[in-house]
């Protein structure tokens, strides 16, 4: 299985000339060799595409496709590529400014093999990153989440980073079938949505504590680190301003559009969740608490319920 699994790497690019060459070179160093690359560019005017073309010319045996993106941001760009993954292939999302360690892909395929038989509803495997500065000097490991993954967590928290994600062929089939709803709902994050879809369909989510990606932090990050005091305060500010509630509704709309793919229990949970976040403050908090949704820390769950009680999710 580890030798035969074919992986399509989806890379969304935009004005990435500073870092994309190093990322592409790290793909070439992967110890899992059975992959192809689809790069969707959102209208770069710098040297991004020339770097990609040189990489493709240097690796003529590789299947490397360059296409034009929808020019609607990184999430829409990634979602637009899911339909290009062939049946029977796994999927790995790739950011232009990271650097993959050689076992980024092989750890995922090995985990799928060791963890047991394939799950018809799909499997999503993620690792951790090492948070680095612009020069890729290590700053700290990404948080190690300890609460179990699942739909009740996925409804309220994005904690499966796309830049470490591997989705098996069954999971890709679920994402392909559901992608139109995600695009129509304008979801904020393709990795959050993927976590919701795979877990909501009754699939398996594997969180591997190993670190396989150097996560470069720089001023151009679309989504930067979320573990610093400044980042935490910024996210709390968005919650208080109502942004978080908007994101939840977008996610609900995307999931409702694909509810036939959800288990009956998770479809019912989704309906209750939608009712809860549209309820007046105290009722919203009480309904969310009864529903059992949770974030990965107790403080995070408490903040969610306090925001709901204050009417910040409406």
């Amino acid at each position: 299985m580890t030798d035969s699994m074919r992986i399509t790497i989806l890379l969304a690019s935009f004005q990435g000339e500073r870092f994309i060459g190093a990322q592409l070179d790290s793909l070439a160093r992967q110890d899992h060799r059975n992959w192809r690359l689809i790069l969707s560019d959102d209208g770069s005017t710098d040297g991004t595409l020339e770097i990609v073309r040189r990489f493709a010319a240097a690796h003529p045996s590789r299947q490397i496709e360059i296409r034009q993106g929808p020019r609607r941001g990184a999430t829409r760009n990634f979602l637009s590529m899911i339909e290009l993954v062939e049946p029977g292939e796994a999927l790995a999302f790739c950011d232009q400014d990271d650097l993959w360690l050689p076992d980024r892909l092989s750890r995922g395929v090995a985990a799928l093999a060791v963890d047991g038989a394939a799950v018809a509803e799909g499997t999503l495997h993620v690792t951790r990153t090492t948070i680095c500065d612009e020069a890729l000097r290590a700053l700290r490991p990404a948080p190690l989440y300890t609460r179990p993954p699942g739909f009740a967590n996925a409804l309220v928290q994005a904690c499966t980073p796309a830049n470490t994600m591997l989705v098996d062929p069954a999971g890709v089939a679920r994402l392909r079938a559901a992608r139109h709803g995600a695009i129509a709902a304008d979801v904020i994050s393709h990795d959050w949505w993927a976590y919701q879809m795979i877990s909501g369909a009754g699939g398996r989510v594997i969180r591997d504590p190993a670190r396989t990606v150097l996560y470069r932090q720089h001023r151009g990050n679309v989504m930067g680190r979320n573990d610093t005091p400044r980042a935490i305060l910024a996210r709390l500010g968005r919650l208080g301003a109502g942004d978080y509630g908007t994101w939840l509704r977008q996610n609900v709309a995307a999931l409702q559009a694909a509810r036939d793919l959800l288990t009956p229990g998770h479809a019912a949970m989704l309906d209750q969740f939608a009712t809860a976040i549209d309820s007046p403050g105290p009722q919203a908090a009480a309904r969310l608490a009864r529903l059992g949704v949770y974030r990965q820390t107790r403080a995070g769950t408490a903040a969610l319920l306090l925001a709901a009680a204050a009417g910040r999710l409406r």
Side-chain angles (χ1 to χ4, degrees):
M1 177 179 179
T2 57
D3 292 334
S4 63
M5 179 174 282
R6 172 82 156 172
I7 300 172
T8 294
I9 300 171
L10 303 181
L11 198 165
S13 65
F14 178 67
Q15 304 292 80
E17 68 176 359
R18 292 180 64 200
F19 305 122
I20 198 169
Q23 175 67 303
L24 292 171
D25 289 342
S26 78
L27 303 189
R29 293 192 293 269
Q30 290 299 297
D31 48 31
H32 180 85
R33 305 298 299 168
N34 192 7
W35 57 265
R36 68 184 180 110
L37 172 65
I38 299 175
L39 181 140
S40 180
D41 187 78
D42 254 352
S44 295
T45 57
D46 62 0
T48 297
L49 290 177
E50 179 56 32
I51 293 169
V52 177
R53 292 187 186 104
R54 287 202 302 266
F55 177 78
H59 298 85
S61 64
R62 284 280 171 207
Q63 185 178 346
I64 299 172
E65 176 184 344
I66 302 172
R67 68 192 298 264
Q68 294 185 1
R71 304 192 184 194
R72 296 288 302 277
T75 293
R76 179 67 66 87
N77 200 355
F78 278 116
L79 292 174
S80 75
M81 287 187 279
I82 291 174
E83 65 179 330
L84 304 176
V85 182
E86 297 291 340
E89 293 181 335
L91 174 161
F93 294 114
C94 181
D95 290 348
Q96 66 182 5
D97 41 14
D98 295 336
L99 190 142
W100 287 9
L101 300 182
D103 63 346
R104 158 72 168 87
L105 297 177
S106 60
R107 283 198 69 91
V109 293
L112 296 179
V114 169
D115 206 57
V119 176
E121 295 76 17
T123 299
L124 182 156
H125 174 273
V126 290
T127 60
R128 295 162 69 202
T129 65
T130 298
I131 297 168
C132 300
D133 66 12
E134 189 169 299
L136 286 182
R137 290 183 291 259
L139 299 175
R140 61 181 297 174
L144 178 61
Y145 296 119
T146 58
R147 301 193 73 181
F151 192 59
N153 175 227
L155 282 172
V156 294
Q157 186 176 14
C159 59
T160 54
N163 59 348
T164 73
M165 187 178 288
L166 179 70
V167 182
D168 77 343
V172 174
R174 296 296 184 277
L175 300 185
R176 186 186 299 111
R179 71 186 186 281
H180 292 302
I183 291 170
D186 198 22
V187 296
I188 188 68
S189 167
H190 57 290
D191 49 2
W192 193 359
W193 166 77
Y195 178 26
Q196 292 175 336
M197 279 306 312
I198 299 296
S199 62
R204 178 174 50 188
V205 178
I206 302 173
R207 280 205 309 245
D208 186 338
R211 286 177 274 155
T212 66
V213 173
L214 302 184
Y215 182 19
R216 193 193 306 263
Q217 300 297 296
H218 59 91
R219 291 183 179 180
N221 283 117
V222 175
M223 296 291 287
R225 60 189 294 191
N226 62 5
D227 62 326
T228 65
R230 177 180 294 181
I232 292 170
L233 287 174
R235 287 169 188 263
L236 288 174
R238 287 196 292 269
L239 188 154
D243 290 357
Y244 180 69
T246 298
W247 300 341
L248 295 181
R249 284 171 178 77
Q250 290 168 329
N251 290 341
V252 166
L255 292 169
Q256 291 286 17
R259 65 180 293 119
D260 59 316
L261 299 174
L262 305 179
T263 68
H266 288 152
M269 178 181 285
L270 176 64
D271 292 339
Q272 295 174 57
F273 180 74
T275 298
I277 62 176
D278 282 337
S279 299
Q283 288 185 28
R287 285 174 170 165
L288 290 174
R290 286 197 300 270
L291 193 56
V293 295
Y294 63 92
R295 293 176 64 86
Q296 285 293 315
T297 65
R298 294 186 185 279
T301 302
L304 167 68
L305 296 178
L306 286 172
R312 297 299 186 183
L313 303 186
R314 300 188 71 187

